[in-house]
Structure formats: C-alpha cells, structure tokens
C-alpha cells in the first residue's frame, strides 16, 4: 500500500493518491479554500488503536448528526503538503503491529485505516463541500498450518480471520438485500458502514500470489474480491452491492432560507390537499342512498356499469387514489400526502434516543473492557509478586536446611 514513500518510481498506492489530491487542489480556482486533515489508526485484536498517539489503545465508534460512524477521540492532523502526509504515514507505520511468520518476514497483524478528510469552501459564495477518503490495508487471511503461528501471533491470526469473515457476512447480506445488515459484528465493518452500501464509491485491490504453493489462498482471495465488487446498479445475473452516492454540501444561510420557503409552500399545498380530502370524505359519508327496485332491469344495470367504465377520473380522484396507494402525485397541483411534520419529528426523536442509548452502551462496554484489562494486569502483577515471595521462602528454607546440616557436621 505504501511502498517507498519518498521515491517517485517505487511509491505505493497511498502516496500516489495523496499526490493526485494535492495536484488537483493546486489546479483549482484561487477563490476555493481547502482544509485537509488526516487520521491513522489500526484494528488490532478487534480494538481500535491510534497509530499517531499510542496511548489511545481502545477507541470507540460513534455516529455524527448524519448517522455516519466515526472513531471518537482519534488524532486528527492538519496537513498542507504531500510531504507532511508522507511524514504522518511514516510515523504511524512505525507504530503498527507486525510479526515474522513462515510466509512473511513483515506480516501485518492488524487492519490499518488511513483517513483523509477534505473540506472545500468557496470564499465568494460561502458554499462548502466535504468528502472523506478511507484507505484500508486489510491483513491477509492466514492458514496456521503454513504460517506456523503460535501464542500471541496465533491469537492475532484468529482475530484477523474473524474480522474478514464479518466483512464477508456484511457483503453477503448487502448482496442478498436482507433487512438486517450485521455491521456491528466487527469494529472494522462498523467503521466502514458508510463505505459498504452508503454514500461512497468503493474500490478493492486484490493482492495474491501466482505460486502453486498458495493456490488455495489465491482462489479464496479472488472469490472474496468478486463478492465485494461494487457498482451503481445491481446486476441481474451477478449479485453486487448498491451504493447511494450524493454530494456533501453545507448550505449557506441564504440557501437555507430558500429551502425553508420551498418547504413552507409545499406544506401549505399539502394542508390544502388534506382539507379537500377531509371534505370529500365527509360528503361521501353524508350522501343518502337512492332506493333501488327489487329487480332492476338488466339493460339498465349494463348501461350504468358502462357509464362508470367510460367516466374519466378527475384530478381530485387521482389525488385520492395516490394518497390511498402511497404513490407520488400525478398532478403538480394536488400532491400526495406523506407523514406530517409532527409524526416525522416524533420518529426522528425516537431514533435519536435509540442511537443515544446505543452510544451510551458502547461507552459502558468500553469502560468495562478497560476495567477488565486493569484487573487482569493487577492479577498478573499479584501473581508475579506471589511467585517472588514463594521463591524467597524456598531460598530461606534452603538456607535454614543448609545451616542445620553444617551445625550437625
């Protein structure tokens, strides 16, 4: 992914992307102002660890006001040149977990994510645009029989394979179109929730070996990449993931005012439609039924049915049909009725309350996890102290026995 960061010919994908971003910025108009900040963290043993501040070892995932997941408390650095980005990558790369296995001398023991956040502001119109670029370096799946992993390296391999399996389950659920997507099964899938089926364009690059010795791993890696193939439309023959891409625009005060006026006018039209529908409903309820003869003539019934069939529905009747069947309005003057503002606000409040409860539970889980780690460390320290005491006792016993032997002699 990184290659040789400071060599233009041997640099990897990440530094080339950084160079393209800054080259594009340098070619823009002078009235455009850019703010770029980067973050670098890894997912080690299913725990988020900040690579730019090693003291942050168990970060939590929260959601912003737009319900987009983000890593809370992660270090963010503002950069203004490609060289500063390369230095940041060098610093984070030196703090990443690696180990030696039978298949790789510098085997990655974690998934790393390099985040580039770009904000653009037009100084003339005050319009703001924002975008994020997630550059993810996934650790490869491992077979313990080939890597010869043992102890802590074996635990790392288990967590790597587990997180990759969670990613595969999320991709399978998105491809099948199921109602529930298991994003929360893994920290990695939770962070990349918006990149999988959200407001993103996703690209995957597969690294595999042409050696026959690694045939099984190469095949499984290619199949994994095929299942992850993303496009803007769902293919009929091959199931792929559908992402919904939109522009992240921060509206100015004038634009918010215009949008408010449009929504206000739309609300007025909807209220008029509701009033008309209520009056129409009351009119139909109050109508008196005409007495019918016991056996109406057959010709008269046929004529009545044919007149109903030939009668063309009025725009008001079409609007009523749209409301009943929850379809968009066919006429601009009589739009369909949706949820009221009160109902929408109530739903939004309930959803915000539920998400707040989920965030609180995440914080509580993180606190309990940190407390468990502290208790575990205390137990280890106590065990070491007990071992030291036992050793001292044994030494004293040996000294006493030796002294008694010498006295006897």
């Amino acid at each position: 992914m990184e290659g040789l960061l400071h060599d233009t010919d041997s640099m990897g994908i990440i530094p080339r992307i950084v160079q393209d971003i800054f080259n594009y910025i340098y070619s823009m108009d002078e009235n455009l102002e850019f703010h770029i900040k980067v973050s670098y963290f890894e997912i080690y043993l299913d725990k988020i660890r900040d690579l730019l501040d090693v003291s942050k070892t168990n970060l939590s995932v929260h959601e912003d006001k737009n319900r987009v997941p983000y890593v809370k408390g992660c270090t963010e650095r503002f950069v203004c040149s490609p060289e500063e980005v390369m230095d940041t990558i060098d610093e984070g790369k030196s703090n990443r977990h690696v180990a030696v296995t039978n298949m790789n001398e510098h085997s990655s023991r974690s998934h790393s994510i390099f985040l580039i956040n770009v904000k653009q502001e037009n100084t003339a119109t005050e319009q703001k645009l924002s975008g994020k670029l997630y550059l993810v370096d996934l650790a490869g799946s491992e077979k313990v029989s080939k890597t010869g992993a043992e102890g802590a390296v074996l635990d790392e391999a288990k967590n790597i394979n587990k997180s990759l399996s969670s990613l595969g389950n999320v991709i399978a659920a998105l491809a099948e179109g199921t109602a529930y997507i298991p994003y929360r099964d893994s920290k990695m899938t939770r962070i990349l929730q918006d990149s999988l089926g959200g407001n993103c364009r996703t690209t995957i690059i597969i690294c595999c070996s042409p050696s026959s010795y690694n045939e099984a791993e190469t095949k499984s890696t290619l199949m994994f990449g095929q299942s992850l193939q993303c496009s803007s439309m769902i293919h009929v023959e091959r199931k792929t993931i559908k992402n919904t891409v939109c522009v992240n625009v921060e509206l100015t005060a004038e634009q918010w005012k215009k949008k408010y006026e449009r929504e206000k006018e739309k609300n007025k039209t909807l209220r008029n439609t509701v009033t008309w529908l209520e009056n129409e409903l009351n009119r139909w309820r109050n109508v008196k039924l005409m007495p019918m003869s016991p056996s109406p003539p057959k010709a008269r019934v046929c004529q009545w049915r044919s007149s109903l069939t030939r009668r063309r529905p009025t725009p008001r009747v079409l609007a009523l049909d749209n409301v009943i069947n929850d379809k968009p309005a066919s006429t601009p003057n009589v739009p369909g009725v949706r949820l009221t503002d009160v109902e929408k606000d109530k739903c939004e409040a309930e959803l915000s309350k539920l998400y707040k409860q989920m965030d609180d539970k995440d914080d509580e889980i993180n606190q309990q996890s940190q407390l468990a780690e502290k208790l575990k460390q205390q137990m280890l320290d106590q065990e070491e102290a007990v071992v030291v005491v036992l050793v001292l006792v044994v030494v004293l016993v040996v000294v006493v026995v030796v002294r008694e032997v010498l006295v006897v002699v």
Side-chain angles (χ1 to χ4, degrees), residues 213-226:
Y213 177 72
N214 301 321
E215 179 182 357
E217 290 82 358
T218 300
K219 184 177 179 181
S220 62
T221 303
L222 292 175
M223 292 178 65
F224 178 81
Q226 184 180 6

Side-chain angles (χ1 to χ4, degrees), residues 183-199:
Y183 288 117
R184 293 179 178 268
D185 287 356
S186 172
K187 293 288 182 67
M188 181 177 63
T189 54
R190 179 68 172 140
I191 296 172
L192 300 179
Q193 177 176 344
D194 200 41
S195 300
L196 300 170
N199 182 21

